[in-house]
Coordinates of all heavy atoms in Angstrom, one line a residue:
M281 N -50.5 12.4 -8.2 CA -49.2 12.3 -7.6 C -48.2 13.0 -8.6 O -48.3 12.8 -9.8 CB -48.8 10.9 -7.4 CG -47.5 10.8 -6.7 SD -46.9 9.2 -6.0 CE -47.8 7.9 -6.5
A282 N -47.2 13.7 -8.0 CA -46.2 14.4 -8.8 C -45.3 13.4 -9.5 O -45.0 12.3 -9.0 CB -45.4 15.3 -7.9
K283 N -44.9 13.7 -10.7 CA -44.0 12.9 -11.5 C -42.6 13.0 -11.1 O -41.7 12.2 -11.4 CB -44.2 13.1 -13.0 CG -45.5 12.7 -13.5 CD -45.5 12.9 -15.0 CE -46.9 12.4 -15.5 NZ -46.9 12.2 -16.9
T284 N -42.2 14.1 -10.3 CA -40.9 14.2 -9.9 C -40.9 14.8 -8.5 O -41.9 15.4 -8.0 CB -40.1 15.2 -10.8 OG1 -40.7 16.5 -10.7 CG2 -40.0 14.7 -12.2
A285 N -39.8 14.7 -7.8 CA -39.6 15.3 -6.4 C -38.3 16.0 -6.5 O -37.4 15.7 -7.2 CB -39.6 14.2 -5.4
N286 N -38.2 17.0 -5.7 CA -37.0 17.8 -5.6 C -36.0 17.3 -4.5 O -36.5 16.9 -3.5 CB -37.3 19.3 -5.4 CG -38.1 19.9 -6.5 OD1 -37.8 19.6 -7.7 ND2 -39.0 20.8 -6.2
I287 N -34.7 17.4 -4.8 CA -33.7 17.1 -3.9 C -32.8 18.3 -3.8 O -32.3 18.8 -4.9 CB -32.9 15.9 -4.3 CG1 -33.7 14.6 -4.3 CG2 -31.7 15.7 -3.3 CD1 -33.0 13.4 -4.8
Y288 N -32.5 18.8 -2.7 CA -31.6 20.0 -2.5 C -30.4 19.5 -1.7 O -30.5 18.9 -0.6 CB -32.3 21.1 -1.8 CG -33.5 21.6 -2.5 CD1 -34.8 21.2 -2.2 CD2 -33.4 22.5 -3.6 CE1 -35.9 21.7 -2.9 CE2 -34.5 23.0 -4.3 CZ -35.7 22.5 -3.9 OH -36.8 23.0 -4.6
T289 N -29.2 19.8 -2.2 CA -28.0 19.4 -1.5 C -26.9 20.4 -1.8 O -26.9 21.1 -2.8 CB -27.6 18.0 -2.0 OG1 -26.4 17.6 -1.2 CG2 -27.2 18.0 -3.5
R290 N -26.0 20.5 -0.9 CA -24.8 21.3 -1.0 C -23.6 20.4 -1.4 O -23.4 19.4 -0.8 CB -24.5 22.1 0.2 CG -25.6 23.1 0.6 CD -25.1 24.0 1.7 NE -26.2 24.9 2.1 CZ -26.4 26.1 1.5 NH1 -25.6 26.4 0.5 NH2 -27.3 26.9 1.9
V291 N -22.9 20.9 -2.4 CA -21.7 20.1 -2.9 C -20.6 21.1 -3.2 O -20.8 22.2 -3.6 CB -22.1 19.4 -4.2 CG1 -20.9 18.6 -4.8 CG2 -23.3 18.5 -4.1
D292 N -19.4 20.6 -2.9 CA -18.2 21.4 -3.2 C -18.2 21.8 -4.7 O -18.4 21.0 -5.6 CB -16.9 20.5 -2.9 CG -15.7 21.3 -3.2 OD1 -15.4 21.5 -4.4 OD2 -15.0 21.6 -2.3
P293 N -18.1 23.1 -5.0 CA -18.2 23.6 -6.3 C -17.3 22.9 -7.3 O -17.6 22.6 -8.5 CB -17.9 25.1 -6.2 CG -18.2 25.4 -4.8 CD -17.9 24.2 -4.0
E294 N -16.1 22.6 -6.9 CA -15.1 22.0 -7.8 C -15.5 20.6 -8.1 O -15.4 20.1 -9.3 CB -13.7 22.0 -7.2 CG -12.6 21.5 -8.1 CD -12.5 22.3 -9.4 OE1 -12.8 23.5 -9.5 OE2 -12.2 21.7 -10.4
I295 N -16.0 19.9 -7.1 CA -16.5 18.5 -7.4 C -17.7 18.5 -8.4 O -17.7 17.7 -9.3 CB -16.9 17.8 -6.1 CG1 -15.8 17.7 -5.1 CG2 -17.6 16.5 -6.3 CD1 -14.7 16.7 -5.5
K296 N -18.6 19.5 -8.2 CA -19.7 19.6 -9.1 C -19.3 19.9 -10.5 O -19.7 19.3 -11.5 CB -20.6 20.7 -8.6 CG -21.8 21.0 -9.5 CD -22.7 22.1 -8.9 CE -23.9 22.4 -9.8 NZ -23.5 23.3 -10.9
N297 N -18.3 20.8 -10.6 CA -17.8 21.2 -12.0 C -17.1 20.0 -12.7 O -17.4 19.8 -13.8 CB -16.9 22.4 -11.9 CG -17.6 23.7 -11.5 OD1 -18.7 23.8 -11.8 ND2 -16.8 24.6 -11.0
Q298 N -16.3 19.3 -11.9 CA -15.6 18.2 -12.5 C -16.6 17.1 -12.9 O -16.5 16.5 -14.0 CB -14.6 17.6 -11.5 CG -13.4 18.5 -11.3 CD -12.4 17.9 -10.3 OE1 -12.4 16.7 -10.0 NE2 -11.6 18.7 -9.7
A299 N -17.6 16.8 -12.1 CA -18.6 15.8 -12.4 C -19.5 16.3 -13.6 O -19.7 15.5 -14.5 CB -19.5 15.6 -11.2
E300 N -19.8 17.6 -13.7 CA -20.6 18.1 -14.8 C -19.8 17.9 -16.1 O -20.4 17.6 -17.2 CB -21.0 19.5 -14.6 CG -22.1 19.7 -13.7 CD -22.5 21.2 -13.4 OE1 -21.6 22.0 -13.5 OE2 -23.7 21.5 -13.2
Q301 N -18.5 18.2 -16.1 CA -17.7 18.0 -17.3 C -17.7 16.6 -17.8 O -17.9 16.3 -19.0 CB -16.3 18.5 -17.0 CG -16.1 20.0 -16.9 CD -14.7 20.4 -16.5 OE1 -13.8 19.6 -16.5 NE2 -14.6 21.7 -16.2
I302 N -17.6 15.7 -16.9 CA -17.6 14.2 -17.3 C -19.0 13.8 -17.8 O -19.1 13.2 -18.9 CB -17.1 13.4 -16.1 CG1 -15.7 13.6 -15.8 CG2 -17.4 11.9 -16.4 CD1 -15.2 13.1 -14.5
L303 N -20.0 14.2 -17.0 CA -21.4 13.9 -17.4 C -21.7 14.5 -18.8 O -22.4 13.9 -19.6 CB -22.4 14.3 -16.4 CG -22.3 13.5 -15.1 CD1 -23.1 14.2 -14.0 CD2 -22.7 12.0 -15.3
E304 N -21.3 15.7 -19.1 CA -21.5 16.4 -20.3 C -20.9 15.5 -21.5 O -21.6 15.4 -22.5 CB -20.9 17.8 -20.3 CG -21.2 18.6 -21.6 CD -20.7 20.0 -21.5 OE1 -20.9 20.6 -20.5 OE2 -20.1 20.4 -22.5
Q305 N -19.7 15.0 -21.3 CA -19.1 14.2 -22.3 C -19.9 12.9 -22.5 O -19.9 12.4 -23.6 CB -17.6 13.8 -21.9 CG -16.7 15.0 -21.9 CD -15.3 14.7 -21.4 OE1 -14.9 13.6 -21.6 NE2 -14.7 15.6 -20.7
L306 N -20.5 12.4 -21.5 CA -21.4 11.2 -21.6 C -22.8 11.5 -22.1 O -23.5 10.6 -22.4 CB -21.5 10.5 -20.2 CG -20.2 10.0 -19.7 CD1 -20.4 9.5 -18.2 CD2 -19.7 8.8 -20.5
G307 N -23.1 12.8 -22.2 CA -24.4 13.2 -22.6 C -25.5 13.0 -21.6 O -26.7 12.7 -21.9
I308 N -25.1 13.0 -20.3 CA -26.1 12.8 -19.2 C -26.2 14.0 -18.4 O -25.2 14.5 -17.8 CB -25.6 11.6 -18.4 CG1 -25.4 10.3 -19.2 CG2 -26.6 11.3 -17.2 CD1 -24.8 9.2 -18.4
P309 N -27.4 14.6 -18.3 CA -27.6 15.7 -17.4 C -27.4 15.3 -15.9 O -27.6 14.1 -15.6 CB -29.1 16.1 -17.6 CG -29.5 15.5 -18.9 CD -28.6 14.3 -19.1
M310 N -27.0 16.2 -15.1 CA -26.7 16.0 -13.7 C -28.0 15.3 -13.0 O -27.8 14.4 -12.3 CB -26.3 17.2 -13.0 CG -26.1 17.1 -11.5 SD -24.6 16.2 -11.1 CE -23.3 17.4 -11.5
S311 N -29.1 15.9 -13.3 CA -30.4 15.3 -12.7 C -30.6 13.8 -13.1 O -31.0 13.0 -12.2 CB -31.6 16.1 -13.1 OG -31.8 16.1 -14.5
N312 N -30.3 13.5 -14.3 CA -30.4 12.1 -14.7 C -29.4 11.2 -14.0 O -29.6 10.1 -13.6 CB -30.2 11.9 -16.2 CG -31.4 12.5 -17.0 OD1 -32.2 13.2 -16.5 ND2 -31.5 12.1 -18.3
A313 N -28.1 11.7 -13.8 CA -27.1 11.0 -13.2 C -27.5 10.7 -11.7 O -27.3 9.6 -11.2 CB -25.8 11.7 -13.2
I314 N -28.1 11.7 -11.1 CA -28.5 11.5 -9.7 C -29.6 10.5 -9.6 O -29.7 9.6 -8.8 CB -28.9 12.9 -9.1 CG1 -27.7 13.8 -8.9 CG2 -29.7 12.7 -7.7 CD1 -28.0 15.2 -8.6
G315 N -30.5 10.5 -10.6 CA -31.6 9.5 -10.7 C -31.1 8.1 -10.9 O -31.5 7.2 -10.3
I316 N -30.0 8.0 -11.7 CA -29.4 6.7 -12.0 C -28.8 6.2 -10.7 O -28.9 5.0 -10.3 CB -28.3 6.8 -13.1 CG1 -29.0 7.1 -14.4 CG2 -27.4 5.6 -13.1 CD1 -28.0 7.5 -15.5
F317 N -28.1 7.1 -10.0 CA -27.5 6.7 -8.7 C -28.5 6.2 -7.7 O -28.4 5.2 -7.1 CB -26.7 7.9 -8.1 CG -26.3 7.7 -6.7 CD1 -25.2 6.8 -6.4 CD2 -26.9 8.2 -5.6 CE1 -24.7 6.6 -5.1 CE2 -26.5 8.0 -4.3 CZ -25.4 7.2 -4.1
L318 N -29.7 6.9 -7.6 CA -30.7 6.5 -6.6 C -31.3 5.2 -7.0 O -31.6 4.4 -6.2 CB -31.8 7.6 -6.5 CG -31.3 9.0 -5.9 CD1 -32.4 10.0 -6.0 CD2 -30.8 8.8 -4.5
R319 N -31.5 5.0 -8.3 CA -32.0 3.7 -8.8 C -31.1 2.5 -8.4 O -31.5 1.4 -8.0 CB -32.3 3.7 -10.3 CG -33.5 4.4 -10.7 CD -33.8 4.4 -12.2 NE -34.9 5.2 -12.6 CZ -34.9 6.5 -12.8 NH1 -33.8 7.2 -12.6 NH2 -36.1 7.1 -13.1
Q320 N -29.8 2.8 -8.5 CA -28.8 1.8 -8.2 C -28.8 1.5 -6.7 O -28.6 0.4 -6.2 CB -27.4 2.2 -8.7 CG -27.2 2.2 -10.2 CD -27.3 0.7 -10.7 OE1 -26.7 -0.2 -10.2 NE2 -28.2 0.5 -11.7
V321 N -29.0 2.6 -5.9 CA -29.1 2.4 -4.4 C -30.2 1.4 -4.1 O -30.1 0.5 -3.3 CB -29.3 3.7 -3.7 CG1 -29.7 3.5 -2.3 CG2 -28.0 4.6 -3.8
I322 N -31.3 1.6 -4.8 CA -32.5 0.7 -4.6 C -32.2 -0.7 -5.1 O -32.4 -1.7 -4.4 CB -33.7 1.2 -5.4 CG1 -34.2 2.6 -4.8 CG2 -34.9 0.2 -5.4 CD1 -35.1 3.4 -5.6
L323 N -31.6 -0.9 -6.3 CA -31.2 -2.2 -6.8 C -30.3 -2.9 -5.9 O -30.4 -4.2 -5.7 CB -30.7 -2.1 -8.2 CG -31.7 -1.8 -9.3 CD1 -30.9 -1.5 -10.6 CD2 -32.6 -3.0 -9.5
H324 N -29.3 -2.2 -5.3 CA -28.3 -2.8 -4.5 C -28.7 -2.9 -3.0 O -28.0 -3.5 -2.2 CB -26.9 -2.1 -4.6 CG -26.2 -2.3 -5.9 ND1 -26.5 -1.5 -7.0 CD2 -25.3 -3.2 -6.2 CE1 -25.7 -2.0 -8.0 NE2 -25.0 -3.0 -7.6
N325 N -29.8 -2.3 -2.7 CA -30.2 -2.2 -1.3 C -29.1 -1.6 -0.5 O -28.9 -2.0 0.7 CB -30.7 -3.5 -0.8 CG -31.5 -3.4 0.4 OD1 -32.3 -2.4 0.6 ND2 -31.5 -4.4 1.3
G326 N -28.5 -0.6 -1.0 CA -27.4 0.1 -0.3 C -26.6 0.9 -1.4 O -27.0 1.0 -2.5
L327 N -25.4 1.3 -1.0 CA -24.6 2.0 -2.0 C -24.2 1.1 -3.1 O -23.8 -0.1 -2.9 CB -23.4 2.6 -1.3 CG -23.7 3.8 -0.3 CD1 -22.4 4.2 0.4 CD2 -24.3 4.9 -1.0
P328 N -24.1 1.6 -4.4 CA -23.8 0.7 -5.5 C -22.3 0.5 -5.7 O -21.9 0.2 -6.8 CB -24.5 1.4 -6.7 CG -24.5 2.9 -6.3 CD -24.6 2.9 -4.8
F329 N -21.6 0.7 -4.7 CA -20.1 0.5 -4.8 C -19.6 0.2 -3.4 O -20.2 0.6 -2.4 CB -19.4 1.7 -5.4 CG -19.9 3.1 -4.8 CD1 -19.4 3.5 -3.6 CD2 -20.8 3.8 -5.4 CE1 -19.8 4.7 -3.0 CE2 -21.2 5.0 -4.9 CZ -20.7 5.5 -3.7
E330 N -18.4 -0.4 -3.3 CA -17.8 -0.7 -2.1 C -17.1 0.5 -1.5 O -16.5 1.2 -2.2 CB -16.8 -1.9 -2.3 CG -16.2 -2.4 -1.0 CD -15.3 -3.6 -1.2 OE1 -15.3 -4.1 -2.3 OE2 -14.6 -3.9 -0.3
M331 N -17.3 0.7 -0.2 CA -16.7 1.9 0.4 C -15.6 1.3 1.4 O -15.9 0.7 2.4 CB -17.7 2.7 1.2 CG -18.7 3.3 0.4 SD -19.4 4.9 0.9 CE -18.2 5.7 1.9
T332 N -14.4 1.5 1.0 CA -13.2 1.1 1.7 C -12.2 2.1 1.8 O -12.1 3.0 0.9 CB -12.6 -0.2 1.1 OG1 -12.1 0.1 -0.2 CG2 -13.6 -1.4 1.1
L333 N -11.3 2.1 2.7 CA -10.2 3.0 2.8 C -9.1 2.4 1.8 O -9.0 1.2 1.7 CB -9.6 3.0 4.2 CG -10.5 3.6 5.3 CD1 -9.9 3.5 6.6 CD2 -10.8 5.1 4.9
P334 N -8.3 3.3 1.2 CA -7.3 2.8 0.3 C -6.3 2.0 1.1 O -6.0 2.3 2.3 CB -6.6 4.1 -0.2 CG -7.3 5.2 0.4 CD -8.4 4.7 1.3
V335 N -5.8 1.0 0.5 CA -4.8 0.1 1.1 C -3.4 0.8 1.0 O -3.0 1.3 0.0 CB -4.7 -1.3 0.3 CG1 -3.6 -2.1 0.9 CG2 -6.0 -2.0 0.3
S336 N -2.8 0.9 2.2 CA -1.5 1.5 2.3 C -0.5 0.5 1.7 O -0.6 -0.7 1.9 CB -1.1 1.9 3.7 OG -1.1 0.8 4.5
K337 N 0.6 1.0 1.1 CA 1.6 0.2 0.6 C 2.9 0.4 1.3 O 3.2 1.5 1.8 CB 1.8 0.5 -0.9 CG 0.5 0.2 -1.7 CD 0.7 0.3 -3.2 CE -0.6 0.0 -3.9 NZ -0.5 0.1 -5.3
P338 N 3.7 -0.7 1.4 CA 5.0 -0.5 2.1 C 5.9 0.5 1.3 O 5.7 0.7 0.1 CB 5.6 -1.9 2.0 CG 4.8 -2.7 1.1 CD 3.5 -2.0 0.9
V339 N 6.8 1.1 2.0 CA 7.7 2.1 1.4 C 8.6 1.4 0.4 O 9.2 0.4 0.8 CB 8.5 2.8 2.5 CG1 9.5 3.7 1.9 CG2 7.6 3.5 3.5
A340 N 8.6 1.9 -0.8 CA 9.5 1.3 -1.8 C 10.8 2.1 -1.8 O 10.8 3.3 -2.1 CB 8.9 1.4 -3.2
I341 N 11.9 1.5 -1.4 CA 13.2 2.2 -1.2 C 13.6 2.9 -2.5 O 14.1 4.0 -2.4 CB 14.3 1.1 -0.8 CG1 14.0 0.7 0.6 CG2 15.6 1.8 -0.9 CD1 14.9 -0.4 1.1
G342 N 13.3 2.3 -3.7 CA 13.7 2.9 -4.9 C 13.1 4.2 -5.2 O 13.5 5.0 -6.0
N343 N 12.0 4.5 -4.6 CA 11.2 5.7 -4.8 C 11.6 6.8 -3.8 O 11.0 7.9 -3.9 CB 9.7 5.5 -4.7 CG 9.2 4.6 -5.8 OD1 9.8 4.4 -6.9 ND2 8.1 3.9 -5.6
L344 N 12.5 6.5 -2.9 CA 12.9 7.5 -1.9 C 14.1 8.4 -2.3 O 15.0 7.9 -2.9 CB 13.2 6.8 -0.5 CG 12.1 6.0 0.1 CD1 12.6 5.4 1.4 CD2 10.9 6.9 0.4
T345 N 14.1 9.6 -1.9 CA 15.3 10.4 -2.0 C 16.2 10.0 -0.9 O 15.9 9.3 0.0 CB 14.9 11.9 -1.8 OG1 14.5 12.1 -0.5 CG2 13.9 12.4 -2.8
K346 N 17.5 10.5 -1.0 CA 18.5 10.1 0.0 C 18.0 10.6 1.4 O 18.1 9.9 2.3 CB 19.8 10.7 -0.4 CG 20.9 10.4 0.7 CD 22.2 11.1 0.4 CE 23.3 10.8 1.4 NZ 22.9 10.7 2.8
E347 N 17.4 11.8 1.4 CA 17.0 12.3 2.7 C 15.8 11.5 3.3 O 15.8 11.2 4.5 CB 16.5 13.8 2.5 CG 17.7 14.8 2.2 CD 18.1 14.7 0.7 OE1 17.4 14.2 -0.1 OE2 19.3 15.1 0.5
Q348 N 14.9 11.1 2.4 CA 13.8 10.2 2.9 C 14.3 8.9 3.4 O 13.8 8.4 4.4 CB 12.8 10.1 1.7 CG 12.0 11.3 1.4 CD 11.2 11.2 0.1 OE1 11.6 10.5 -0.8 NE2 10.0 11.8 0.1
L349 N 15.2 8.3 2.6 CA 15.8 7.0 3.0 C 16.5 7.2 4.4 O 16.3 6.3 5.3 CB 16.8 6.5 2.0 CG 17.5 5.2 2.3 CD1 16.5 4.0 2.6 CD2 18.5 4.8 1.2
D350 N 17.3 8.2 4.5 CA 18.0 8.5 5.8 C 17.0 8.6 6.9 O 17.2 8.1 8.0 CB 18.9 9.7 5.7 CG 20.1 9.5 4.8 OD1 20.4 8.4 4.5 OD2 20.7 10.5 4.5
A351 N 15.9 9.3 6.7 CA 14.8 9.5 7.7 C 14.2 8.1 8.1 O 14.0 7.9 9.3 CB 13.8 10.4 7.3
E352 N 13.9 7.3 7.1 CA 13.4 6.0 7.4 C 14.3 5.1 8.2 O 13.9 4.4 9.1 CB 12.9 5.3 6.1 CG 11.7 5.9 5.4 CD 10.5 5.8 6.2 OE1 10.2 4.8 6.9 OE2 9.7 6.8 6.2
L353 N 15.6 5.1 7.8 CA 16.6 4.4 8.5 C 16.7 4.9 10.0 O 16.9 4.1 10.9 CB 18.0 4.4 7.8 CG 18.0 3.7 6.5 CD1 19.3 4.0 5.7 CD2 17.9 2.2 6.7
Q354 N 16.7 6.2 10.1 CA 16.8 6.7 11.5 C 15.6 6.3 12.3 O 15.8 5.9 13.5 CB 16.8 8.3 11.4 CG 17.1 8.9 12.8 CD 18.4 8.4 13.4 OE1 19.5 8.5 12.7 NE2 18.4 7.9 14.6
K355 N 14.4 6.2 11.7 CA 13.2 5.7 12.5 C 13.5 4.2 13.0 O 13.2 3.9 14.1 CB 12.0 5.6 11.6 CG 11.4 7.0 11.3 CD 10.1 6.8 10.5 CE 9.7 8.0 9.8 NZ 8.5 7.7 8.9
G356 N 14.1 3.4 12.1 CA 14.5 2.1 12.5 C 15.5 2.0 13.6 O 15.3 1.2 14.6
F357 N 16.5 2.8 13.5 CA 17.5 2.9 14.6 C 16.9 3.3 15.9 O 17.2 2.8 17.0 CB 18.7 3.8 14.2 CG 19.5 3.3 13.1 CD1 19.9 4.2 12.1 CD2 20.0 2.0 13.1 CE1 20.7 3.7 11.1 CE2 20.8 1.5 12.1 CZ 21.1 2.4 11.0
D358 N 16.0 4.3 15.8 CA 15.3 4.8 17.0 C 14.4 3.7 17.7 O 14.4 3.5 18.9 CB 14.4 6.0 16.7 CG 15.2 7.3 16.3 OD1 16.5 7.3 16.6 OD2 14.6 8.2 15.8
D359 N 13.8 2.9 16.8 CA 13.0 1.8 17.3 C 13.8 0.8 18.0 O 13.5 0.3 19.1 CB 12.2 1.1 16.2 CG 11.0 1.9 15.7 OD1 10.6 2.8 16.4 OD2 10.5 1.6 14.6
I360 N 15.0 0.5 17.5 CA 15.9 -0.5 18.1 C 16.3 0.0 19.4 O 16.3 -0.7 20.4 CB 17.1 -0.8 17.2 CG1 16.6 -1.6 15.9 CG2 18.1 -1.6 17.9 CD1 17.6 -1.7 14.8
E361 N 16.8 1.3 19.5 CA 17.3 1.9 20.7 C 16.2 1.9 21.8 O 16.5 1.8 23.0 CB 17.8 3.3 20.5 CG 19.1 3.3 19.7 CD 19.6 4.7 19.5 OE1 18.9 5.7 19.8 OE2 20.7 4.8 18.9
N362 N 14.9 2.0 21.4 CA 13.8 2.1 22.4 C 13.1 0.8 22.6 O 12.0 0.7 23.2 CB 12.8 3.1 21.9 CG 13.4 4.5 22.0 OD1 13.8 5.0 23.0 ND2 13.4 5.2 20.9
G363 N 13.7 -0.3 22.1 CA 13.2 -1.7 22.4 C 12.0 -2.0 21.6 O 11.3 -3.0 21.9
R364 N 11.7 -1.3 20.5 CA 10.5 -1.6 19.7 C 11.0 -2.5 18.5 O 11.2 -2.0 17.4 CB 9.9 -0.3 19.1 CG 9.2 0.5 20.2 CD 8.5 1.7 19.6 NE 9.3 2.6 18.9 CZ 9.8 3.8 19.3 NH1 9.6 4.1 20.6 NH2 10.6 4.5 18.6
V365 N 11.1 -3.8 18.9 CA 11.6 -4.7 17.9 C 10.6 -5.9 17.8 O 9.9 -6.2 18.7 CB 13.0 -5.3 18.3 CG1 14.1 -4.1 18.2 CG2 13.0 -5.9 19.6
F366 N 10.7 -6.6 16.6 CA 9.7 -7.7 16.3 C 10.5 -8.8 15.7 O 11.5 -8.6 15.0 CB 8.6 -7.2 15.4 CG 7.8 -6.0 15.9 CD1 8.2 -4.7 15.5 CD2 6.8 -6.2 16.7 CE1 7.5 -3.7 16.0 CE2 6.0 -5.2 17.2 CZ 6.4 -3.9 16.8
S367 N 10.0 -10.0 16.0 CA 10.7 -11.2 15.4 C 10.3 -11.3 13.9 O 9.4 -10.6 13.4 CB 10.2 -12.5 16.1 OG 8.8 -12.7 15.7
L368 N 11.1 -12.0 13.2 CA 10.8 -12.2 11.8 C 9.4 -12.8 11.5 O 8.7 -12.4 10.6 CB 11.9 -13.2 11.1 CG 11.7 -13.5 9.6 CD1 11.7 -12.2 8.8 CD2 12.7 -14.4 9.2
D369 N 9.0 -13.7 12.4 CA 7.6 -14.3 12.2 C 6.6 -13.2 12.4 O 5.6 -13.2 11.7 CB 7.4 -15.4 13.3 CG 8.3 -16.6 12.9 OD1 8.6 -16.8 11.7 OD2 8.5 -17.4 13.8
E370 N 6.8 -12.3 13.4 CA 5.8 -11.2 13.6 C 5.7 -10.3 12.4 O 4.6 -9.9 12.0 CB 6.2 -10.4 14.9 CG 6.0 -11.2 16.2 CD 6.5 -10.5 17.4 OE1 7.7 -10.0 17.3 OE2 5.8 -10.4 18.4
V371 N 6.9 -10.0 11.9 CA 6.9 -9.1 10.7 C 6.3 -9.7 9.5 O 5.5 -9.1 8.8 CB 8.4 -8.7 10.4 CG1 8.5 -7.9 9.1 CG2 9.0 -7.8 11.5
D372 N 6.6 -11.0 9.3 CA 6.0 -11.8 8.2 C 4.5 -11.8 8.3 O 3.8 -11.6 7.3 CB 6.6 -13.2 8.2 CG 6.2 -13.9 6.9 OD1 6.3 -13.4 5.8 OD2 5.8 -15.1 7.1
A373 N 4.0 -12.1 9.5 CA 2.5 -12.1 9.7 C 1.9 -10.8 9.5 O 0.8 -10.7 8.8 CB 2.2 -12.6 11.1
E374 N 2.5 -9.7 9.9 CA 2.0 -8.4 9.7 C 2.0 -8.0 8.2 O 1.0 -7.4 7.7 CB 2.8 -7.4 10.5 CG 2.3 -6.0 10.5 CD 0.9 -5.8 11.2 OE1 0.6 -6.6 12.1 OE2 0.3 -4.8 10.9
M375 N 3.0 -8.3 7.5 CA 3.1 -8.1 6.1 C 2.0 -8.8 5.3 O 1.4 -8.2 4.4 CB 4.5 -8.4 5.5 CG 5.6 -7.5 6.0 SD 5.5 -5.8 5.5 CE 6.1 -5.9 3.9
K376 N 1.8 -10.0 5.7 CA 0.7 -10.8 5.0 C -0.7 -10.2 5.4 O -1.5 -10.1 4.5 CB 0.8 -12.3 5.5 CG 1.9 -13.1 4.9 CD 1.9 -14.5 5.4 CE 3.1 -15.2 4.8 NZ 3.3 -16.5 5.3
S377 N -0.8 -9.8 6.6 CA -2.1 -9.2 7.0 C -2.4 -7.9 6.3 O -3.5 -7.7 5.8 CB -2.1 -9.0 8.5 OG -3.2 -8.2 9.0
R378 N -1.4 -7.0 6.3 CA -1.6 -5.7 5.7 C -1.6 -5.6 4.2 O -2.3 -4.9 3.6 CB -0.5 -4.7 6.2 CG -0.7 -4.2 7.6 CD 0.3 -3.1 7.9 NE 0.2 -2.8 9.3 CZ 0.8 -1.7 9.8 NH1 1.4 -0.9 9.0 NH2 0.7 -1.4 11.1
Y379 N -0.6 -6.4 3.6 CA -0.4 -6.2 2.2 C -0.6 -7.5 1.4 O -0.4 -7.4 0.2 CB 1.1 -5.7 2.0 CG 1.4 -4.5 2.8 CD1 2.3 -4.5 3.9 CD2 0.8 -3.3 2.6 CE1 2.6 -3.4 4.6 CE2 1.0 -2.1 3.4 CZ 2.0 -2.2 4.4 OH 2.2 -1.1 5.1
G380 N -0.9 -8.5 2.0 CA -1.1 -9.8 1.3 C 0.1 -10.4 0.7 O 0.1 -11.1 -0.3
I381 N 1.3 -10.0 1.3 CA 2.6 -10.6 0.7 C 3.3 -11.4 1.8 O 3.0 -11.3 3.0 CB 3.5 -9.5 0.2 CG1 3.8 -8.4 1.3 CG2 2.9 -8.8 -1.0 CD1 4.8 -7.4 0.9

């Protein structure tokens, strides 16, 4: 039985270069890193990390330019004019659900 098997894959060249630079600093060849990843897949019986979408954060007023703040306020005025309004309890529940606050 062969001691190794080949894996062929296509990867974005920039991703490959960035990963190689990091792995080189760690002293790990790319083939070893891939082997480590595959062993972790086996140990975890799945991907060895959680796959989630990034949590969106509410708009921080202090980080907005005047133009951005004006645009956000205009969105609010447009919502009011078009009847898209929510009670304080609805907003509070949504904030807790989305952002944990």
Side-chain angles (χ1 to χ4, degrees):
M281 182 169 13
K283 292 187 178 194
T284 61
N286 294 324
I287 296 176
Y288 299 97
T289 184
R290 294 189 181 277
V291 180
D292 180 288
E294 186 57 33
I295 297 294
K296 178 182 177 277
N297 290 336
Q298 289 178 21
E300 281 179 330
Q301 289 175 8
I302 294 167
L303 292 170
E304 184 177 314
Q305 292 176 35
L306 295 170
I308 302 172
M310 179 70 74
S311 60
N312 289 14
I314 293 169
I316 291 168
F317 171 75
L318 295 175
R319 284 181 182 84
Q320 288 296 309
V321 167
I322 294 165
L323 286 171
H324 287 87
N325 199 28
L327 291 176
F329 46 82
E330 186 176 346
M331 295 211 26
T332 60
L333 295 173
V335 176
S336 62
K337 296 185 178 181
V339 175
I341 292 175
N343 294 337
L344 299 178
T345 65
K346 180 186 180 322
E347 292 77 19
Q348 290 170 323
L349 178 59
D350 288 345
E352 289 298 319
L353 289 170
Q354 187 60 53
K355 286 181 198 176
F357 291 134
D358 293 344
D359 284 343
I360 292 169
E361 287 178 358
N362 292 302
R364 293 186 300 262
V365 294
F366 302 93
S367 71
L368 179 58
D369 290 337
E370 290 171 315
V371 172
D372 188 46
E374 186 68 20
M375 293 295 282
K376 285 179 183 173
S377 168
R378 282 190 187 192
Y379 308 114
I381 55 173

